[in-house]
Structures are given as structure tokens and as C-alpha cells.
Amino acid sequence: MPATPCRVCSGPVREFFDFGEQPLSDAFPLPDQLDGEFSFRLAIGCCESCSMVQLMEEVPRDRMFHEDYPYLSNGSAVMRDHFRAVASRFLRDELAGPDPFIVELGCNDGTMLRTVADAGVRHLGVEPSGGVADLAAARGVRVDKRFFEAETARDILAADGSADVIYAANTLCHIPYIDSILRGVDELLAPSGVFVFEDPYFAEIVRRTSFDQIYDEHFFFFTARSVRAMAARHGLELVDVEELPVHGGEVRYTLARTGAREISPAVGALIERETRSGLTDPTTLDAFAARVNQIRTDLLAFLRAEKAAGRPVVGYGATAKSATVLNFCGIGPDLISHVFDTTPAKQGRLTPGSHIPVRPAEEFADPYPAHAVLFAWNHAEEILAKETAFREAGGRWVLYVPELHVR
Ligand code: SAH
Ligand code: TYD
Ligand code: ZN
């Protein structure tokens, strides 16, 4: 197989898992729209030069992020609190000078920036998905409906001046053309400004075997080591890292211009931990691959046994992550009858590729199934707390990370 060059350093990328043909994870078709569903080969590898973990194939961005992109940041109470806290910290630590300015890449429905807007601080959300960008605008957030890249950065600089903070949550890892993003950041960032981004942490994905974090939109899987190397190519320095409990374990990376800020000891400590654990060594990655295959075997065996016993199983949370699980395992409506979800734009539609009907979360109780596979496992605490009646009625949750278990 010819080596695909690394999207960061052009080095050789060694593939370590192939999930086969997969659909767009956030394209929920109507029952009469099943012809010509887009598919691509979902496979993941690790760069042998800079250690950046990345997809082997890229899906064109306009197919994923457009007017009808359904994901909403404000769909979780925990995430709403998280983003309010992020905004408050920026307002206090980075945006207290004269006429501060913050830019958010992938501001989605404005969940983070609304706090900044309410504080009367100059801001701009860059959000190419028109529908969610309109929701942000309706919340009083100023939005630019374009993809952020080097050219967009130049326009923003000309119109608004340099940014004290550039922030991106669960967005930088979505962008294969990351070189253009970093050139844009280099152009737009104020001399003493910070570029802060938070994304799923590859060490947590390996630790939890959360293979469903791997799907079309998640192109990169960062580590402190790979981010530090990437930053250095653009005159930037990784000055801080902070582990976050959200979305199944993330890291918030803070980049500044080389020499502009003191480097926190947390950076060296995390890189040391990654090195000591052999995080991106072929043996670690191959062992991860073996565990993924085991989860597929176990989940299919469980679902087939439940079907044989005539006990209904549903899914909870029509997540993008679930597309990888369902399509990799070959699970359809014969094994999971419905998936329940709070997102209006997913309801009444079918899960991508696997074609399981999505129903409003309020209908979960009529009647409760015997088992519910928790596809939104990253929101387990929040969901289990509000669905206590399900277990009281005898229902059980099925989780497939870090391994198949019922609780
Ligand atoms: N920040 C939000 C949304 C994450 S979803 C949160 O954490 O909940 C990823 C978002 O990135 C989508 O809304 C998508 O439209 C946006 N996006 C994708 N490519 C982008 C780009 N080049 N510039 C800015 N936003 C982008
Ligand atoms: P999420 O896990 O945040 O992300 P992704 O789609 O990127 O994998 O998605 C959570 C999904 O679960 C979203 O479609 C909303 C839904 N959801 C519920 O149905 N009920 C809930 O209580 C929560 C928190 C989420
Ligand atoms: Zn590389």
C-alpha cells in the first residue's frame, strides 16, 4: 500500500485500523433519500515522523459542513456549563485589556460566544454551517459564515485587527488543511495572544478503546507531542495543556508565539507520560486494533442473543460516533429498532448507512425497552441522571467502551 503523506509534515503515515466503507456521520437521510448515500473508506494511521494520528482519507468539507449540519453545541447541559466557564475564564484572564477581541473557529450555535457577547466584548464566530450559524446570530453573536483558513484570517485582520484569543473547541481536529489554519492563526494572532483549542485526546481514546471517536469529521487525533511539533513549524509554542473530562476525555492546548509566554511544566509532564506509555508505538496501536475487533464481536453477540430472546434493544443518542459503531459492526434496524435523540434535525430520519429510525427522546418511555445502547456515552452522567425511571422499570444500559458491559 503506498504511504499517504502526513497532513502536517508530509512524512509516511502507517495505517493501524481500517473500518471499511462508512457514510457521513452527521448526514441523517429521510426514508426516501437512501439512493446515492455518500461513502468513503474510514481508516486511521500514525505519522512515523511527527507522530500525528490522522485519517488516511479526507472527506470534502462541503459534504460535512453545510446549511443542514445538525450538531448543536447546546444539546448538553454539561457542555453549556463547560462553555460558560471557558468564556468567563477568557474574559477574566485574556480579555481584560483595552478593546479586547476574541475569534472562535466553529462557534456552532453560539453556546460559548453568547457569554462573551453578553459581556459586551468584541468577538467574531467563524462558522461555515449556515443553519447553526443562524442560531448563533439569533443569540446575539456576530458570525462570519465561512470556513476559517489563511485567506479568511487575512480578511478578519483587515476588518477587525488582531485577536487576543483564537479559540476552537472540537473543531481543529475536524480540519485536514490544518497548515492553512495555522498560517491564518499566525497572521491574525496579536503578539501576546493565545491560540487555545480542545479536542478528544488520543491517549484517552486508546485507554478507553473509544474507537467511535474515529469518524469522517474527526480527522486528527492530537497528543501533546504531536501538537508541540506542529506548533513549532509555524513559529508557535505549546505553552500549556489541561486535561478535560468532557466528550470522553479531551486536552485543551494553549499555543503562543515562540518566546512570548512561559511554558507550563504540565507540557513536559504530559509529553513524558505519552513517551513512557509508548502511546504511538506500533505495538500499542496494534493492541488497540485488537481490542476494537473484540468489542465488535461482543456487541454483535449480545444483540443477536437479545433478538433471539425477543427482547427489544434501542439506541440512546444518535451521535456522530454511533455511525462508526453501527456501520463497522453491520448493525441495522433488525438488531436495534430505534435510536432516541433530542436533536430536532435528526428526528424522523434514519441513522447514516445503518438506517435505524431516529425518534424524539421523549418517546423513549413508551414503552421502555429491555436494553438501551448508550451511544452518547460521553454524556452518561447527565443522561443516566435524567433517565432514572428507565432502570427503575427494569431497563439496563449497554455500554461498549472500554469494553462491552451492561449496567
Ligand atoms: N465548537 C462547538 C462545535 C463543534 S462541531 C462545540 O464544541 O460544541 C465542529 C464545528 O466546526 C461545526 O459547527 C463546523 O461547521 C465547524 N467547522 C468545520 N470546519 C471549519 C472551519 N474551517 N472553520 C470554522 N469552523 C469550521
Ligand atoms: P455528542 O456525543 O455530543 O457528539 P457527536 O455527535 O459528535 O458524537 O452528541 C450527543 C448526541 O446525543 C446529540 O445528538 C444529542 C443527543 N443527546 C440526547 O439525546 N440526550 C441528552 O441528554 C444528551 C446530553 C445528548
Ligand atoms: Zn507527520
Side-chain angles (χ1 to χ4, degrees):
M1 196 180 334
T4 315
C6 170
R7 293 300 301 255
V8 174
C9 79
S10 303
V13 179
R14 173 188 176 270
E15 184 175 314
F16 61 88
F17 203 84
D18 183 351
F19 291 93
E21 287 297 309
Q22 292 278 336
L24 301 169
S25 61
D26 265 317
F28 290 76
L30 287 165
D32 64 358
Q33 290 176 337
L34 300 184
D35 290 344
E37 241 183 323
F38 179 86
S39 84
F40 75 108
R41 187 178 79 97
L42 179 67
I44 186 171
C46 179
C47 174
E48 291 177 331
S49 299
C50 76
S51 81
M52 183 65 83
V53 177
Q54 56 201 279
L55 296 191
M56 305 303 291
E57 280 187 24
E58 166 185 354
V59 172
R61 64 188 190 181
D62 311 274
R63 284 201 174 264
M64 298 186 281
F65 310 115
H66 44 66
E67 202 57 34
D68 300 321
Y69 181 67
Y71 184 80
L72 300 176
S73 302
N74 82 343
S76 149
V78 169
M79 292 313 297
R80 287 196 295 275
D81 289 348
H82 173 81
F83 287 125
R84 203 174 306 119
V86 173
S88 303
R89 201 159 101 180
F90 283 145
L91 288 169
R92 187 192 64 203
D93 297 344
E94 304 289 345
L95 301 170
D99 193 26
F101 180 45
I102 176 171
V103 175
E104 184 181 13
L105 319 184
C107 73
N108 196 270
D109 58 12
T111 299
M112 195 287 282
L113 278 182
R114 68 184 303 180
T115 303
V116 175
D118 289 349
V121 166
R122 215 151 57 81
H123 64 274
L124 181 68
V126 187
E127 178 48 72
S129 296
V132 297
D134 288 341
L135 296 174
R139 293 188 167 113
V141 169
R142 192 174 149 239
V143 214
D144 181 336
K145 287 194 201 178
R146 284 186 294 174
F147 286 95
F148 184 85
E149 53 197 324
E151 297 77 66
T152 332
R154 208 162 302 141
D155 292 350
I156 298 171
L157 181 70
D160 297 289
S162 62
D164 302 289
V165 176
I166 301 176
Y167 174 67
N170 308 297
T171 296
L172 197 65
C173 77
H174 290 55
I175 304 180
Y177 45 98
I178 199 159
D179 188 72
S180 174
I181 303 294
L182 290 164
R183 281 188 282 119
V185 166
D186 184 28
E187 204 148 333
L188 182 59
L189 196 66
S192 60
V194 282
F195 175 37
V196 180
F197 57 94
E198 54 194 65
D199 289 287
Y201 182 36
F202 185 63
E204 282 297 313
I205 295 175
V206 170
R207 191 175 71 81
R208 300 176 195 229
T209 318
S210 44
F211 66 97
D212 56 349
Q213 293 279 14
I214 304 163
Y215 55 88
D216 56 351
E217 294 172 23
H218 285 179
F219 189 87
F220 287 114
F221 302 85
F222 300 131
T223 64
R225 179 177 162 207
S226 62
V227 166
R228 183 172 65 173
M230 176 174 76
R233 303 172 67 87
H234 292 270
L236 296 167
E237 209 163 47
L238 178 59
V239 297
D240 203 3
V241 288
E242 186 186 347
E243 290 186 80
L244 307 171
V246 298
H247 287 311
E250 301 205 322
V251 168
R252 176 180 295 152
Y253 304 91
T254 300
L255 273 50
R257 294 190 185 281
T258 304
R261 298 232 178 171
E262 205 177 309
I263 300 178
S264 157
V267 174
L270 195 59
I271 292 175
E272 165 67 19
R273 210 168 86 198
E274 293 170 357
T275 307
R276 228 180 319 114
S277 68
L279 179 57
T280 53
D281 292 353
T283 46
T284 305
L285 302 177
D286 294 346
F288 167 81
R291 295 197 302 278
V292 175
N293 283 320
Q294 187 62 50
I295 290 175
R296 171 167 65 174
T297 302
D298 294 346
L299 181 58
L300 277 173
F302 172 83
L303 295 174
R304 287 178 182 144
E306 288 304 298
K307 184 186 161 90
R311 282 190 293 266
V313 181
V314 305
Y316 198 106
T319 55
K321 292 183 286 294
S322 70
T324 297
V325 181
L326 295 169
N327 290 284
F328 170 59
C329 298
I331 297 165
D334 55 324
L335 294 176
I336 291 182
S337 60
H338 298 93
V339 180
F340 293 92
D341 195 284
T342 53
T343 314
K346 297 180 183 178
Q347 297 162 354
R349 293 174 172 259
L350 304 176
T351 57
S354 49
H355 305 160
I356 302 172
V358 181
R359 290 171 55 189
E362 304 81 59
E363 295 173 16
F364 180 45
D366 64 343
Y368 280 126
H371 288 105
V373 180
L374 187 56
F375 290 120
W377 55 264
N378 47 310
H379 301 295
E381 213 172 307
E382 179 173 349
I383 292 172
L384 268 56
K386 75 176 172 196
E387 298 287 6
T388 49
F390 169 53
R391 281 195 96 261
E392 282 158 18
R396 290 293 175 264
W397 296 102
V398 179
L399 287 108
Y400 49 84
V401 292
E403 59 202 0
L404 189 81
H405 60 287
V406 175
R407 71 181 198 205

